[in-house]
Amino acid sequence: MSSHHIVRDDQEPALIIANGSSCNPELLGQLLEWSPVVIVLDSAMERVMKLDIKVDVLLGDFDRDFDPSVYQIQQYPLEIVHTPDQNKTDLEKAFDYLIERKIPAVNVVWATGKRADHTITNLTNIVRYREKLKIVILDDHSKVFLLPKKFEKWYTATTPISLIPVGQVTGIRSENLFYPLSNDTLTIGYQTGSSNHVAKDGLVVIEHLEGDLLLMECND
């Protein structure tokens, strides 16, 4: 595992390490190499220390007798950010920290898989930061992000793509998906765009009129 990261341009995506299921060390290493700042939530710090990762920011409410000072020497220089507000999750507070620092984008790992309630909350909370922060949540099988009103990206044929609405999303139109959408409406719990895939090598276009639509690039 890389013990340091080489990019120091705040225009590159930061990295947040939460406390869900661990991802593949190769994926984590790739993200670390290009991250200008690495934030670890307090609940994950002990796990991260075992991986020889250089941490820039340790953030959390520091409950359950957590003592952040024990990491200051091993992780020097380490910024310790105490966020006691119980009205937000530690992950949301990490997003707020990045917004204050004017860092425009972040990758998040270890945010899925360990507890279903945490996974659902972490994925759906992306929407409240739509105008302030570009958020991508990654694990070994999925890459999840919120779509703008018009999205275009080149994909290879058969790439699995799922479109998951947060609430209701209207006026959805697609190009180059195997199951096309034309002025469709998706509603969480009733109709979603799960398990679609790219029809052929080339540009995929997805547009929608209203609502919050997550795109999930998934693999088995």
Side-chain angles (χ1 to χ4, degrees):
M1 178 63 63
S2 172
S3 62
H4 64 281
H5 33 284
I6 61 176
V7 177
R8 289 295 170 186
D9 179 357
D10 278 357
Q11 297 308 303
E12 295 288 340
L15 178 65
I16 296 174
I17 303 177
N19 194 35
S21 295
S22 300
C23 63
N24 187 294
E26 182 178 354
L27 171 60
L28 184 56
Q30 292 171 353
L31 295 172
L32 284 167
E33 186 175 4
W34 295 102
S35 297
V37 58
V38 175
I39 302 173
V40 176
L41 305 188
D42 59 5
S43 53
M45 190 62 178
E46 199 59 41
R47 296 166 63 195
V48 169
M49 290 292 292
K50 297 176 182 178
L51 298 177
D52 193 28
I53 294 171
K54 177 64 187 78
V55 177
D56 298 304
V57 180
L58 172 58
L59 181 147
D61 52 20
F62 305 153
D63 58 1
R64 298 182 298 275
D65 298 320
F66 182 89
D67 182 4
S69 66
V70 302
Y71 303 103
Q72 285 184 310
I73 294 176
Q74 294 166 288
Q75 287 286 346
Y76 181 85
L78 175 67
E79 181 181 357
I80 295 175
V81 180
H82 184 210
T83 54
D85 182 3
Q86 295 299 311
N87 294 316
K88 290 187 176 183
T89 67
D90 283 347
L91 182 57
E92 291 174 87
K93 289 179 277 190
F95 293 155
D96 292 338
Y97 170 88
L98 291 173
I99 293 167
E100 289 180 9
R101 281 194 50 172
K102 301 187 186 310
I103 296 177
V106 62
N107 295 314
V108 184
V109 293
W110 296 15
T112 62
K114 200 170 184 181
R115 280 182 50 173
D117 56 343
H118 290 174
T119 296
I120 292 171
T121 299
N122 292 340
L123 293 176
T124 56
N125 273 349
I126 294 176
V127 302
R128 73 174 61 186
Y129 294 93
R130 172 190 284 279
E131 305 299 332
K132 298 179 179 179
L133 188 65
K134 182 179 179 181
I135 301 167
V136 178
I137 295 180
L138 304 104
D139 59 29
D140 290 342
H141 303 287
S142 304
K143 178 179 180 180
V144 183
F145 51 94
L146 187 66
L147 290 183
K149 289 295 193 291
K150 184 173 183 178
F151 170 79
E152 298 180 323
K153 182 178 176 180
W154 196 97
Y155 288 96
T156 57
T158 73
T159 299
I161 285 180
S162 290
L163 298 174
I164 306 299
V166 180
Q168 185 178 83
V169 180
T170 62
I172 307 171
R173 185 189 73 85
S174 72
E175 297 177 18
N176 197 24
L177 291 182
F178 186 80
Y179 301 106
L181 297 108
S182 178
N183 196 31
D184 282 297
T185 296
L186 298 179
T187 305
I188 192 69
Y190 293 91
Q191 182 178 1
T192 67
S194 182
S195 299
N196 209 332
H197 62 268
V198 179
K200 61 183 180 180
D201 290 357
L203 197 67
V204 169
V205 179
I206 301 168
E207 297 180 280
H208 67 282
L209 294 178
E210 298 293 339
D212 298 304
L213 188 60
L214 298 177
L215 186 145
M216 300 185 178
E217 300 173 2
C218 301
N219 63 79
D220 295 327

